Amino acid sequence: MTFAAFSLSATAAAEPKDEVAAAAAAWAQALGEDDPEKVLPLYSSDAVLWGTISPKLRSDPTALRDYFVGAFKALPGLKVTFGDHLIRVYGNTAVNTGYYTFSYVQNGESKVFPARYSFTYVKNGDRWMIVDHHSSAMPSPPK
C-alpha cells in the first residue's frame, strides 16, 4: 500500500516538469517564427532578459521586444534546438537550465552557435510564464 501511494505521488510530481518542458518547446517554436509578437506572450510583463547577443539587461516589455526585433534581423531564419537540460519545480516556480544551439542563415550560409541558458518560470493560472531568462554563448574550453 505504501508503495502504491509513493508511485502516485511520483507521477503527480512529474507533471509540472512536463508542463515546463512544453513551455520551453513553445518558446523554441515561437522563436522559429521570426516574429517578436509570437515570442513575447511567453514572457510575464515583469520579465527580465539577458539575451545571448546583447550586453544589455532587458527588464520591460518594450526592451524585450526591441531585443527580439534586433535578434531576428541579425540572425535571419533563427531556430533553436535544446540539448541537455535540468528542470526543477518549486511549487508555482520552476527553473529550466541547460544548453541550446541556435542556427540561422547569413549570406546564404548556414551558421550555428551553442549557448547556455536558464529560464525561470512562474505559473500564472494554467500557464508557465518566463520571468527570468539568461542566455550566453558557450565558452570555449580552456587551452
Side-chain angles (χ1 to χ4, degrees):
M1 196 72 128
T2 304
F3 178 73
F6 177 75
S7 294
L8 291 174
S9 168
T11 301
E15 185 179 322
K17 286 185 180 184
D18 293 340
E19 292 173 358
V20 172
W27 179 84
Q29 181 176 348
L31 190 76
E33 295 192 32
D34 271 353
D35 181 355
E37 302 312 317
K38 304 282 182 162
V39 179
L40 294 172
L42 304 175
Y43 289 83
S44 81
S45 61
D46 62 346
V48 173
L49 169 65
W50 276 113
T52 316
I53 61 170
S54 173
K56 198 165 138 183
L57 179 66
R58 312 297 174 127
S59 60
D60 64 61
T62 301
L64 266 72
R65 185 179 191 292
D66 289 346
Y67 174 79
F68 286 109
V69 166
F72 292 140
K73 283 182 185 172
L75 309 170
L78 183 62
K79 306 279 185 238
V80 67
T81 305
F82 283 94
D84 291 340
H85 65 276
L86 176 64
I87 296 172
R88 293 159 292 147
V89 178
Y90 308 99
N92 71 340
T93 303
V95 179
N96 179 0
T97 305
Y99 76 89
Y100 41 33
T101 302
F102 293 104
S103 59
Y104 61 101
V105 177
Q106 190 171 56
N107 300 323
E109 184 180 336
S110 294
K111 306 260 185 181
V112 297
F113 70 92
R116 53 194 174 176
Y117 69 85
S118 294
F119 286 97
T120 303
Y121 297 88
V122 171
K123 192 161 191 179
N124 182 357
D126 62 349
R127 293 186 60 209
W128 288 95
M129 303 296 294
I130 301 166
V131 294
D132 194 282
H133 178 188
H134 177 262
S135 181
S136 57
M138 191 69 76
S140 299
K143 294 183 180 186

